[in-house]
Amino acid sequence: MKIIFKIAKTELRNLFYSPVAWFLAVAFLVQCSIFYTYALYPYAKWQEINMNGNAKWKDFGTTLTQIIFLDPSGIFNNVLQNLYLFIPLLTMGLISRETNNGTIKLLYSSPVKVRQIVMGKYLAIMLYNLLLVLMVGIFMVTAAFNIRSLDYGLLLSAVLGFYLLVCAYTAIGMFMSSLTTYQIVSAIGSFITIFILSRIGALWQKYDFVRDLTYFLSISGRTGKMLQGLITTKDVLYFVVIVYIFLGFTLIKLRSGRESIPWFVKAARYLAVFVSALVIGYISSRPTLTGYWDTTARQINTIHPNTQKIVKELGKDPLEITLYTNLLGPGLKRALPEQRNNYLSSVWERYVRFKPDIQFKYVYYYDVKKGDSTYYKAFKHKTLKQIAERMADGNEVSMSLFLTPEEMRKSIDLNPENQRVVMQLKYKGRTTFLRTFDDPPFWPDEMLVAAAFKRLVQDTLPKVYFLTGNLERSIYKSGEREFRLHTLEKGFRRSLLNIGMDADTISLDTQDVPGDATALVLADPKTTLSDTTTAKLRQYIASGGNMMIFGEPGKQQMLNPVLQQLGVQMMPGSIVEPTHEEMPQMVRPYITAAATDLADDFMLLGLKASLREKNDDTLKELMPGVTAISYDLNSAFTVRPLLMTIGQRTWLKQGSFVTDSAEIVYNPQEGDVKGSFPTAVQLTRQINNREQRIIVASDADFMSNTRSGGGFLGVALYSWLDYNKYPIYTPGQKPKDSKLLISSRTANVLIVAYVWILPALLLTLGAVILIRRKRK
C-alpha cells in the first residue's frame, strides 16, 4: 500500500504541475458558480416581490433544492452533461506520458508491480475527483444558508452519483491512455467509449438475447435515481463493475508489454475480466439482492405507507403480472419489447423493492374492438392479418411475435378492455386488471396500483348502487349529463372501477337494497318516486345506511319527501351568480373547511393547510344550475356544509328566468333572497354502533361526464361514504425547502463572489504554482 500511495502522490504532483488540471478545475468551478447563482437570483427577486405585495404569501410551495440543483437548469444536470468533455483531457496522459518520456521502462524494471502502478495512478485521479466534489460542496454548504430546511439527503445522494460517474469516466480514460502513445488519440478514444456506453442501452432492445446485456452496460441514466435521492446497490455496483472492467483491461495491457504471450491468451484475459464483470452485474441486479435507500426528506422515491401495508398483505405468495400489448391498439409504442426495461423501471421497480418475487410476463397479439372498422377503412380490401403485417412492418417488429385473434381468445378475451395495452394481475387464483390511459403519464399511478393489489387480497369490495326507475342519471351512458365517466369508464383514471370500488344499478320498485351495499346514490330523479321506493329508502336511512343524493333546481319536489326524514330540504328557486364571463346559473361555491376533512386527497390537504394558515376560501367548484339547501339544526343528524356560495355575489332567484337574454336582476319583491347558501352538505349520526354518512347536493351536473365526475372532490365524496377505505390515497408531504433565507441583494453578491472572485483566486493559485515549478 505504501508504494501505491507514493505513486498516487507523485501522480497528483504531476497533475497539479500541469496547466490542464488547473484549467479544468477553474472551468468546472465557473460552470458550477453560474448554474447555482443564476438559478438562485430569480427566486430571491420574486420572493421579495411576493412578500412585499402579498402579506399572505408564505413560500414558493415547491422544493428549491430540486430546482436549483437537479432541474434541467440546475448544477448537477448541466455538470453531468458536460462531464465527458473534462475527464478525457485529464486522463489522456496518465499512461501515455510515461511511455513518451521513457519512464515506463524504469517502472517495468523496478520492483514495483504493474498492479501497484495502475492502482496508484487511479488513486491519484480519484483524489482529484474529490476536488471536483469539494467544489460542488461549496455550493451545497452555501445552499444550507440560503435555503430554508435544505434537503441534505437528496444532495448527498446526488453527490455520490456524480462522484461514481466521474470515477467511471476516469477508469475509461486511463485504459485509453494505455492503448496509445498519442494523448490526443487517447482523449478521442475516451470520448468514443463514453459515447458508446451512453447510447448502447437503446440498441438492439427488440431482441431478448441482448436486451438485458446492453441495458446493463449502458451508463446513461445510471445516476438518474441518485439525482432523485434514491441509492440502490445495483447502481452503485454498476459503477464499481465499470471501474473493475477498465482497470482490469489496463492491467492486462500493461502486463502484456513486459510479457511475450500468444494473442489468444491476452484475449482470454480480457474475456475473463468482461465475463466476470457481467456475472457480478447480473447477480447484483437481482431484485432479491438489491438494496434501496431513499435519502430524501419527504421519501419521494418510496411508495406510501398505505401502499406498503397492502403489499405486505400479499405476503410471500407469488404475484404474476402479465402485460398484454395489441399491435392494433392504442399505446403500442409504450409496450413494445424495446420499452420493456423502461416499463419495469418506471412502473414496477418501486413495488419490486417491497415484493421482489413479482413475476412479469408479456403477451403480444393483434385484434380490433368488436364493431370497429377504422383499420378496414384505412386499409381497404385487406384482411386483419394483412393489416397487422403492415403495422408490424411500420413499427419494425417481427410479425411472429404476435398471436392471432383466435389464438388470443383461447386464453383471454380483451374486448371488454377495448383491446388496448392492459396488465392482468394474478394472485391466489384471483385476477384483476390494471389499465393504461390516454394521457401523458399513460401508466397507472400508485393509487390505482394500490387499489388493484387491494382487490387481490380483500374478500369483499365496496359497492355503490345507483337507483334507477325514475329517469335518474345513468352510469351506463356517455352523454354529457350522465354519470358513466366517474363510475364505470375504464379509460378514466379516477373512475370508481379503477380506484377499487364497484358500481351497479338497482330499482327499488322490484328489488330490495342488497346487503353488500356500501352506499346508495339517488341522482336527479325526473319523476316522482313510487311509494315502494320511498318506503324502502326511508327504511334504509333509518337502519343507518350511507347515501348520496343529488338534485336539480325545478325538481325539488322529487327529493324533498325523502330529504324530510333527514331534516334537509332543497329550497325553491335557483341560485344565480351574475358575472361578465359566465351565464348567471353557472354558480361557483367555495369548498369549505368541512370538505377538506372528507379524504386525504392532495388538493384537499393543500386547501386545509391554506385555510389554516391564511383563512382564505379560494378553491371553488362549478355547479351549473343549483339551488340552496336548508337544514334543521335540531334534527338527529349533525350537518356540515361542504360547498357554500359567496353571499355578496349570489342570491336565490324565485320563478323562471332566461339565462341568455336580459340581465338577471335581484328583486326582493318577487321573493329573491341574497346571501351565502349551502349547495352541498354532509350529514352524520351514530346509529347501530357506527357512524351513518349521507351527502346531499342540490346539483347533479357537477358530477356529470362533462365535469369529469366532480374531479378530486367527487372521488373524495365516495371515499368518505366508504369510511376512506377506498381509494388508497397516497398524499405526499409538503416540501419544507420552499423559501429562501436571503435577499436579491445577497444573491447578487454571491454572483460576483462565485462567478468572478473565487475562480480568479483559483486561477491565481494555479498560475503561482506553475510559475514557481517552471523556475525550479
Side-chain angles (χ1 to χ4, degrees), residues 343-469:
Y343 157 72
L344 292 174
S345 175
S346 61
V347 180
W348 292 113
E349 187 170 7
R350 302 171 73 212
Y351 308 95
V352 170
R353 172 182 173 183
F354 295 93
K355 186 172 176 55
D357 57 350
I358 299 178
Q359 302 171 12
F360 295 97
K361 294 185 177 181
Y362 308 89
V363 175
Y364 302 92
Y365 70 102
Y366 66 90
D367 202 350
V368 293
K369 289 189 297 183
K370 188 178 294 184
D372 187 358
S373 60
T374 305
Y375 277 105
Y376 292 106
K377 291 178 180 178
F379 298 90
K380 294 182 178 179
H381 312 298
K382 299 291 183 182
T383 65
L384 187 61
K385 183 178 180 180
Q386 291 171 331
I387 294 172
E389 289 172 346
R390 292 279 189 93
M391 295 300 294
D393 183 53
N395 287 285
E396 298 182 342
V397 290
S398 173
M399 188 63 189
S400 61
L401 184 67
F402 298 90
L403 299 177
T404 65
E406 295 74 23
E407 292 172 330
M408 186 65 184
R409 289 168 192 158
K410 289 179 182 178
S411 58
I412 188 172
D413 180 15
L414 291 178
N415 201 63
E417 295 298 324
N418 298 319
Q419 302 291 2
R420 61 177 297 123
V421 174
V422 68
M423 290 155 282
Q424 186 187 55
L425 282 62
K426 292 183 180 179
Y427 174 78
K428 286 186 174 181
R430 296 179 179 178
T431 62
T432 189
F433 284 105
L434 255 180
R435 300 171 181 91
T436 57
F437 306 93
D438 294 324
D439 54 21
F442 183 74
W443 299 109
D445 53 35
E446 186 176 339
M447 179 189 287
L448 305 189
V449 175
F453 286 167
K454 192 71 173 178
R455 280 181 176 271
L456 296 174
V457 299
Q458 188 164 304
D459 294 328
T460 59
L461 297 171
K463 198 164 189 176
V464 180
Y465 286 91
F466 291 76
L467 271 60
T468 61

Side-chain angles (χ1 to χ4, degrees), residues 29 80 135 172 294 346 396 414 425 510 544 551 586 613 650 738:
L29 181 58
L80 292 178
M135 290 183 183
I172 294 170
D294 189 349
S346 61
E396 298 182 342
L414 291 178
L425 282 62
T510 58
M586 308 297 276
E613 295 174 4
T650 61
S738 54

Side-chain angles (χ1 to χ4, degrees), residues 10 47 110 139 275 279 282 285 307 323 350 395 400 441 498 524 553 652 678 682 766:
T10 302
Q47 179 168 295
S110 68
F139 302 97
V275 171
V279 171
Y282 176 80
S285 63
T307 309
L323 176 67
R350 302 171 73 212
N395 287 285
S400 61
N498 286 323
D524 185 25
L652 186 60
Q682 68 174 182

Side-chain angles (χ1 to χ4, degrees), residues 196-214:
I196 292 173
L197 288 176
S198 299
R199 298 292 183 269
I200 196 172
L203 300 178
W204 308 301
Q205 292 295 294
K206 300 176 184 179
Y207 310 106
D208 293 338
F209 179 73
V210 295
R211 181 187 301 113
D212 291 337
L213 175 63
T214 56

